[in-house]
Amino acid sequence: MLEVQDLHVYYGGIHALKGARLKVDRGQIVTLIGANGAGKSTTLRTIVGLVKARSGSIRFNGEDLSRLETHEIIKRGIAISPEGRRVFPNLTVLENLELGAYNQGHETFDRQRQWVYSLFPRLEEREKQLAGTLSGGEQQMLSVGRALMSRPQLLLLDEPSLGLAPLVVEEVFRIIQTINKEGATILLVEQNAMAALQVAHFAYVLETGRITLEGTGQTLLMDERVRSAYLGESTQSV
Amino acid sequence: MLSYCLPPWKGFQSVSGTIFFQQLINGMSLGSLYGLVAIGYTMVYGILRLINFAHGDLLMFAAYAAIYCVTLFSLPWTLSFPVAILMTGLMGIVLDRTAYKPLRNAPRISLLISAIGASFLLENLALVVLGGVPKAFPRPDVFDQVIELWGLRIQVLTIYTPVVTLALLAGLLFIVYKTKAGKAMRAASKDFETTRLMGINLDRIIALTFLLGSSLAAAGGIMWAMKYPQVNPFMGVFPGLKAFIAAVLGGIGNIVGAVIGGFLLGLGEILIVALLPELAQYRDAFAFVILILVLLFRPTGIMGEPLTDKV
């Protein structure tokens, strides 16, 4: 469904991605793990066209995305819950969801809203509240829910567990699995390697702009290098 | 203007009371014009964090557009005015595309300089193409009528102006708060990047902002030209500056604040003249004193939120 090959991205003089690649098949949860600054968010930002690649290709259902504008890429059926949640604080919860379904008709909007409310009942309770007044966990739910409103084929999640209490983190990952079971393909970027590998069908390890390891979630959980580099700290945080 | 300010003081015991009410109505009328123009400043600022200094010149553009619709194409005013408003709205989009869009990622000071340049360009282009001799604005007769209200003699234009302003404000608020595009506009005022991530074409939202703001400026410009029916290439400068002050006073970025700021500024100007006639010559200075005081003591204005820099 999504195929990224030999991606090179520069920020000014900094070579942020040095030939990153990954593949996401329909129905999967694929995770991209790695340390801070490895280029995980840059990879997602390049996929949605916020950052332009110097070279390499990004194909979605066979179509090259690299020349498209962000809003056109989103219209192709990709949605993203960006790093830091980025809900619109001056809009209500419902208005945030409406913008998530900006290019959808009324029917899709109503159907998706019901689904999102069933996943996150808290959002329905707070429908009329300004998003800026929600707690961090609620904002994260809104950010994911908003991304689901367009009924995306592919959902990109950038650090959904960042800054959340352990109990909320568990809930977020449970919901990621639920969303996947209900048909969404997910590309998950995480620092919380332990939790991400447990839910992922396939995983990539990104180090300073390169993919250094790949394998099924279970394989990487067992891998010595992954265990020492990424699981040492994060096991305690789960 | 003074001719219809002189009331036949019947129905009121005190002369000053009548004059006071007369001036109150004049002040509201002037203030609503400031408010109408201030909305455009505040909307563009809300999205681009730019003071669109060419905004005032759109008043002039609208006034000339209306004149030529009436004189060259002999259209009735009921058609000329909407056409002029639409043309000015499109002119706002052209202004954005040519002067601001190429600088979207440039430092804000470049935008500001570009805005000042665009303003001078419009004024001097009008001077070259249309000439510096003031043109008379063909004020439709319906606005000339004088009605008696509670013993006051008031030109109907003075009444229509605030009514039109409030109607347009209501329409605008509906668009901004109830429609999808309006919600996208409010989202864009906080976060460009995430707005684009919703699949929203940001350029279109910015164009819509300019269209709406410039159309309202056009409505203001036409009413201004009916109030002071001498149209010249620099007619937009002072109302533009005053409206900018009104927008700052109301809290820049806030639409309702812009209208409130406009009303307060207009009322203040007129009442100072009415109550302290010896200060009449300082009427324009009053507005700038207000600007300085607001910037010194409450830079966020009456309804403004604390200033936050966009990410």
Side-chain angles (χ1 to χ4, degrees), chain A residues 45 86 95 98 102-103, chain B residues 180 183 186 191 193 199:
Chain A
R45 292 169 63 81
R86 303 287 279 269
E95 285 171 334
E98 280 177 70
Y102 193 77
N103 295 310
Chain B
K180 248 186 190 179
K183 288 165 192 172
R186 284 188 290 141
D191 189 342
E193 206 173 86

Side-chain angles (χ1 to χ4, degrees), chain B residues 145-299:
Chain B
Q145 291 165 16
V146 173
I147 53 165
E148 286 202 24
L149 202 65
W150 307 305
L152 301 175
R153 288 170 55 80
I154 302 164
Q155 197 190 23
V156 289
L157 179 65
T158 314
I159 306 282
Y160 280 146
T161 311
V163 172
V164 168
T165 298
L166 291 178
L168 291 174
L169 174 67
L172 180 70
L173 289 178
F174 177 81
I175 292 175
V176 170
Y177 284 92
K178 296 292 172 198
T179 67
K180 248 186 190 179
K183 288 165 192 172
M185 228 184 248
R186 284 188 290 141
S189 77
K190 286 289 175 196
D191 189 342
F192 270 7
E193 206 173 86
T194 311
T195 305
R196 294 168 68 200
L197 289 177
M198 298 298 106
I200 295 166
N201 186 342
L202 190 63
D203 286 330
R204 248 189 236 170
I205 296 300
I206 293 175
L208 177 67
T209 308
F210 273 90
L211 178 75
L212 291 173
S214 308
S215 306
L216 294 181
I222 288 172
M223 289 196 280
W224 188 274
M226 287 199 282
K227 198 173 168 75
Y228 309 105
Q230 296 254 309
V231 173
N232 71 68
F234 299 97
M235 67 167 275
V237 176
F238 250 81
L241 280 175
K242 298 283 184 65
F244 165 63
I245 295 171
V248 173
L249 173 62
I252 193 126
N254 186 304
I255 293 173
V256 176
V259 175
I260 291 176
F263 271 108
L264 287 178
L265 187 65
L267 277 172
E269 274 191 4
I270 297 276
L271 290 183
I272 277 214
V273 175
L275 300 177
L276 305 162
E278 59 271 27
L279 291 181
Q281 288 158 326
Y282 297 102
R283 190 177 135 178
D284 291 333
F286 168 76
F288 293 101
V289 169
I290 294 274
L291 176 65
I292 293 168
L293 291 178
V294 171
L295 290 178
L296 280 180
F297 296 109
R298 196 177 158 80

Side-chain angles (χ1 to χ4, degrees), chain B residues 83-135:
Chain B
V83 168
I85 288 171
L86 185 68
M87 281 172 63
T88 312
L90 296 178
M91 184 63 201
I93 297 180
V94 170
L95 182 67
D96 171 51
R97 287 288 141 108
T98 53
Y100 307 140
K101 193 173 173 223
L103 296 170
R104 214 66 104 203
N105 298 316
R108 256 190 270 163
I109 188 77
S110 313
L111 267 177
L112 199 65
I113 293 167
S114 187
I116 294 169
S119 170
F120 286 163
L121 179 72
L122 284 176
E123 286 160 19
N124 289 288
L125 213 57
L127 191 62
V128 172
V129 177
L130 308 169
V133 183
K135 287 193 185 332

Side-chain angles (χ1 to χ4, degrees), chain A residues 85 135-141 159-172 192 237:
Chain A
R85 297 150 201 157
S135 74
E138 289 164 345
Q139 289 192 8
Q140 187 60 60
M141 293 172 192
E159 304 271 13
S161 73
L162 196 70
L164 299 183
L167 270 177
V168 188
V169 172
E170 267 180 50
E171 194 183 341
V172 166
N192 190 337
S237 70

